Structures are given as C-alpha cells and as structure tokens.
Amino acid sequence: MNKILIFLGVLLTMAGGARGGSLTLSGDTTEIKSWGKYNEAPSSIVSSIKAGDVLSVTVTAKDPTVQWPQLNIQSKADTTFAQANQYGIVVFKNAKIYNEDSFPVTVEYTFTDADLPVLQKNNSLYLSGTGVTVTDMILTQAENGTTQTISLWTGETVCADDWSSGYVVLPASKFSDAAAGDRLQISVSAISGTCANPVIALQNGSWQNFSGVDFFPLKGETAPVAPVFTLSSDMLSQIKGETDGVNSGLVVKGCGYTLTGIDLVKT
C-alpha cells in the first residue's frame, strides 16, 4: 500500500476555512504496471476539494515495452452519473504519456463545479493507468476570492470529423493579463455522432503541440460541455512570445465538435 503523506498544518488551515497553498497527497514513487487503484487520496481531503483546485502528478518514466502508456486521474462514482462508464469510473484526465519523449512530465487537472458531485459521492480520488512511474501527487488549493471570466472569442466553428477544417487562432495580445494557473475554458455546443474520436486540441502560434498538454477527448461527453485547460508558465511563455515570437498566439482546433466560445477564467 502506498504511504499517504498528510501535512497537519495544511489540514488545520483547511479546517479553519482559509484556503491556498499545497497539500501533498502522496510522495511515494509508484510504478503503475497495470490498471488498478493507486495513490488513493484520503477521503477527508477529497471532500474538501473546491472548484479551481489543481491536482498535479509528476510522471518520471514510461515503460518502453507498453504500447500505450498513460495515466488517469479517476473517481469511483455511481453509474447514475452521465460521466461514468459501465464500471462507474469517472476519468477526469487521460494523460497520453506515450506522446512524451523526455521526463519528468507534470500532469495537471483543474477541478470544476461539475466535478464536485462526482468526487463527493464517494469521496474518492485516485490514479490508474499502465506503463508509467509516478511521484508527487499534490493538490494545490485555490485561494478564497472571486472568479473573473474574460471572453477571448465567441462565434461558431465546426471542427470537421477528419481535421480538414475548423479552428480559431487567438493572438498573443488576448493573453496580456493571463497568468500561470489561469484556466482556458472551451465551450462546445455539439459533438459529432459520426466522429470516432472527437477531441479538442491546443497548439501554439506555430501550430505545434505544447509539451505535456494532451488533447481533451470528447468521446462519451454530452454537449453542451465546457472542458477546461490549465495554463502553465511554459504555455504562456510561448503564447505571449516570451520564448520565441514565432510561436506566439494560441490555436484551438480538433475534430468532431462545434466550438462556440473560448474564455479565460482567472481567480
């Protein structure tokens, strides 16, 4: 059984109502060889998760003998939830680690209001996957405060099933007020019934994928839906042109869905 590390000082802070800071749920190094339940978070911590909190997991290696190494952040839930599959498992994040060639890689998931009923149904949160080695499962709490939503784009763009058309390009100027930890919310009004694997994809201004940022799978989702991506400092340095002006800006693309809005959510 993996050792769960709980910092008493953080727990006392949580109990007192103040928020902010990070809580280490597991500091162990765990080799995930096959699908199962790993690094399960204490139920008392899961029940305290709020929208805007971020769970990060560091992947230190992948097994070269596994064809599709990946990591899921999951919660056990009743099958009455629309998001759950036939096993009652809600997958919050599917990190396709097989896209990565260098490690460590940090996978992040920002919890939304829609996640809270699922989490709190059984106060369950854990890792699953295959062919990866993980460490440092950390929950970063959002500070108390107001949330500001800034519209970056509204309209209607159909992303074709075969990726042949449908995208939105945002200039660097749209992100002048963005900071690491802010969230990018993508509004989807419809999901194609003829696309085998509808996904949302983000790329920099040079139409290249961001390292460590996976496509968001829409298969099994019910529209309307508004998936959220957390903006990292590396993403923003490219978007703002701080690393290389050629890469500045952001492209929102993908296949098999209708895009109707892009918002920047700041806390």
Side-chain angles (χ1 to χ4, degrees):
M1 179 181 294
N2 294 313
K3 181 180 178 182
I4 302 297
L5 304 178
I6 303 176
F7 292 156
L8 181 60
V10 178
L11 290 176
L12 291 175
T13 299
M14 292 167 62
R19 293 181 58 79
S22 297
L23 171 66
T24 300
L25 303 182
S26 174
D28 285 347
T29 297
T30 304
E31 186 178 359
I32 301 178
K33 294 184 177 181
S34 60
W35 296 97
K37 184 181 291 186
Y38 301 89
N39 294 38
E40 186 170 12
S43 58
S44 59
I45 303 301
V46 180
S47 64
S48 71
I49 292 176
K50 305 293 184 184
D53 289 358
V54 178
L55 182 72
S56 63
V57 182
T58 299
V59 181
T60 59
K62 67 180 180 181
D63 186 342
T65 66
V66 176
Q67 183 177 13
W68 305 112
Q70 56 188 284
L71 176 69
N72 289 338
I73 297 169
Q74 298 188 174
S75 177
K76 185 71 170 65
D78 285 355
T79 53
T80 52
F81 283 101
Q83 306 99 313
N85 64 17
Q86 64 268 31
Y87 303 106
I89 302 297
V90 177
V91 180
F92 293 121
K93 174 71 175 180
N94 188 316
K96 299 178 180 64
I97 304 301
Y98 54 80
N99 289 332
E100 296 297 327
D101 295 320
S102 60
F103 293 89
V105 171
T106 299
V107 176
E108 293 185 343
Y109 182 80
T110 301
F111 295 101
T112 67
D113 288 325
D115 297 327
L116 302 185
V118 178
L119 285 171
Q120 296 166 1
K121 183 68 176 181
N122 294 295
N123 289 333
S124 169
L125 180 67
Y126 59 92
L127 303 180
S128 189
T130 180
V132 293
T133 301
V134 300
T135 188
D136 295 338
M137 182 174 168
I138 297 174
L139 179 71
T140 301
Q141 298 174 304
E143 296 183 0
N144 287 327
T146 59
T147 299
Q148 179 186 15
T149 301
I150 302 171
S151 176
L152 303 180
W153 176 88
T154 57
E156 183 174 279
T157 294
V158 178
C159 298
D161 289 1
D162 61 358
W163 297 76
S164 62
S165 63
Y167 58 86
V168 172
V169 179
L170 298 175
S173 59
K174 291 282 188 178
F175 295 87
S176 58
D177 294 329
D182 289 349
R183 290 163 284 155
L184 196 69
Q185 182 171 284
I186 312 298
S187 295
V188 175
S189 63
I191 300 172
S192 172
T194 56
C195 183
N197 293 293
V199 295
I200 300 172
L202 301 184
Q203 294 184 325
N204 63 27
S206 294
W207 299 79
Q208 300 295 315
N209 295 337
F210 294 100
S211 176
V213 180
D214 293 294
F215 297 164
F216 189 98
L218 292 170
K219 187 174 183 177
E221 298 284 350
T222 301
V225 64
V228 172
F229 294 82
T230 300
L231 295 172
S232 67
S233 56
D234 179 64
M235 291 175 68
L236 282 174
S237 67
Q238 293 184 56
I239 293 171
K240 293 183 177 183
E242 297 168 351
T243 302
D244 182 350
V246 176
N247 292 332
S248 67
L250 176 74
V251 180
V252 180
K253 53 185 291 187
C255 67
Y257 74 98
T258 301
L259 171 64
T260 55
I262 304 171
D263 295 316
L264 177 68
V265 181
K266 300 179 62 65
T267 300

